[in-house]
Amino acid sequence: MSIKLTLNENTHFGVPIKIYTSDIDQESIDQLHKMSQLQFIHSHIAVMPDVHLGKGATVGSVVPTKNAIIPAAVGVDIGCGMNALRLNLKASQLPDNLSTLRNAIERKVPVGFSMHKQIRAKASTLTPLDKRLNQITLKHPALKRMLRHFDSTWVKQLGTLGGGNHFIELCIDENQDVWIMLHSGSRGLGNVIGTYFIERAKKEAQHRFGHVPDKDLSYFAEGSNNFNDYVEAVEWAQEYAYENRREMMHLILEAIRPLLPKFQMTKEAINCQHNYVQKEYHFGEEVFVTRKGAIRAGQGEYGIIPGSMGAKSFIVKGKGNNESFCSCSHSAGRKMSRSKAKRQFSQQDLIQQTEGIECRKDKEVIDEIPSAYKDIDEVMANQTDLIEVVHTLKQVMCIKG
């Protein structure tokens, strides 16, 4: 059995918390305890082996709720997820020096706070997004004041990477096949939507009868105007994040085609998201499942679990484990904060730990050093009941924001 710890079992403290690792810090446990006290949690909370402290809700938690949604549990990088694509190329067909490929991709795909100078996405993608977004901002005009150059920014950010732990990688699998893998979300507008509704939930909680153990666990009750508007906005952001990754993958392929032997994409293309909420059926009831740093791993469903920029990553297939609400980890998971990583490690440490990988090795990305993350092999060993490994990938090039 993969479950290593069960908290609150046979107590009145809150619903049970089932944890798929023993590597969990006390702050995360305290955060989970607070969430477990909410009266609308269904059955239990499942906690994945990449668990670590998060803002509002614990990263790596799967939270099923009845008639309510917690915006802070979904977070501000709404719809953040992964996309991986296998090419019919072998590692031997890649150039010895990958810097040319990296530079070509970075010219096509803006990273960090950058965006496209011109609109890149097709009208067939933008028109339905724009129509739905207008419906949202008509009801919540304050959203437009929270993002500079609102109407052009969200459009020009479609097909951009962002910063932090978002990345584009070129990887090699166990058969020496070449993969492109990327990780990104809903960019600036997703952040604005998340922030706006988190604050509305907090204000609403001040006037609601009933105890909330932490203001970051403020929620919207199903049937209220705020609930319906949040669901509409969060679904928009999740769709935008998906389109963002799709546009990025198109730009990456466009960038590398002139520099590689003629290639095609294989049938293996995986998309998964890990910061989102959707309706699902579990333990006899239809509930809202919020995955905060976790991916769905239903029976036969494919997913992606990346390690750090110096470790392995995995293409996996779900086993449909009911106790985890058909979920698994979304990554290796951080074991130290970004500020601590910057204090503890040097640029030389980064250079050593990313040896052999074409990537940035400057001081600005020390917070993404492999040692700031948990051991991906241990994380994978703790979830053998949840997924099976289909492919093991090793990155040879990594682009960070």
Side-chain angles (χ1 to χ4, degrees), residues 166-186:
H166 295 157
F167 63 78
I168 299 167
E169 289 185 344
L170 199 65
C171 304
I172 309 298
D173 72 9
E174 70 284 350
N175 299 314
Q176 295 298 292
D177 289 329
V178 176
W179 290 71
I180 300 169
M181 186 164 69
L182 61 86
H183 169 212
S184 190
S186 50

Side-chain angles (χ1 to χ4, degrees), residues 30 45 58 68 76 127 194 212 248 251 256 306 314 389:
D30 292 342
I45 295 170
T58 317
V76 296
T127 301
V212 177
M248 247 190 299
L251 293 171
I256 66 175
F314 299 88
V389 174

Side-chain angles (χ1 to χ4, degrees), residues 6-17 33 36:
T6 301
L7 307 178
N8 296 346
E9 197 168 29
N10 302 319
T11 74
H12 298 292
F13 190 81
V15 298
I17 304 167
H33 270 308
S36 74

Side-chain angles (χ1 to χ4, degrees), residues 286-393:
E286 189 175 59
V287 294
F288 293 96
V289 177
T290 298
R291 291 184 175 91
K292 170 83 165 183
I295 65 172
R296 182 170 165 84
Q299 183 67 46
E301 292 182 2
Y302 282 83
I304 308 163
I305 303 177
S308 66
M309 62 192 289
K312 293 176 286 188
S313 297
F314 299 88
I315 305 298
V316 300
K317 188 187 293 185
K319 293 184 176 181
N321 187 291
N322 291 328
E323 292 296 310
S324 72
F325 301 104
C326 298
S327 307
C328 68
S329 79
H330 83 307
S331 70
R334 296 193 72 91
K335 67 179 181 182
M336 66 176 67
S337 68
R338 295 184 181 279
S339 57
K340 184 176 180 181
K342 287 180 177 180
R343 291 194 304 270
Q344 186 163 325
F345 298 105
S346 66
Q347 185 177 3
Q348 188 57 40
D349 292 326
L350 178 65
I351 292 170
Q352 290 175 352
Q353 292 184 31
T354 58
E355 185 178 0
I357 301 169
E358 173 60 40
C359 64
R360 286 178 60 186
K361 301 176 190 284
D362 56 87
K363 292 180 180 180
E364 297 303 313
V365 291
I366 287 176
D367 56 345
E368 283 293 304
I369 192 169
S371 287
Y373 285 83
K374 294 182 179 182
D375 182 342
I376 187 63
D377 288 321
E378 184 178 336
V379 168
M380 297 302 290
N382 283 331
Q383 53 186 337
T384 54
D385 285 358
L386 311 183
I387 43 92
E388 62 177 289
V389 174
V390 180
H391 293 292
T392 301
L393 310 184

Side-chain angles (χ1 to χ4, degrees), residues 131-163:
K131 184 178 180 180
R132 289 165 57 199
L133 181 60
N134 283 336
Q135 294 172 347
I136 294 166
T137 55
L138 278 173
K139 289 182 283 188
H140 299 275
L143 287 168
K144 285 200 165 189
R145 298 192 291 272
M146 294 174 67
L147 184 65
R148 190 179 180 192
H149 305 306
F150 182 96
D151 291 319
S152 61
T153 295
W154 75 266
V155 177
K156 291 180 180 178
Q157 283 189 337
L158 197 61
T160 66
L161 184 64

Side-chain angles (χ1 to χ4, degrees), residues 245-264:
R245 290 189 291 274
R246 189 168 74 164
E247 179 65 19
M248 247 190 299
M249 186 63 78
H250 170 75
L251 293 171
I252 293 165
L253 293 170
E254 195 176 274
I256 66 175
R257 278 192 187 280
L259 304 173
L260 294 172
K262 188 175 181 180
F263 65 82
Q264 293 179 333

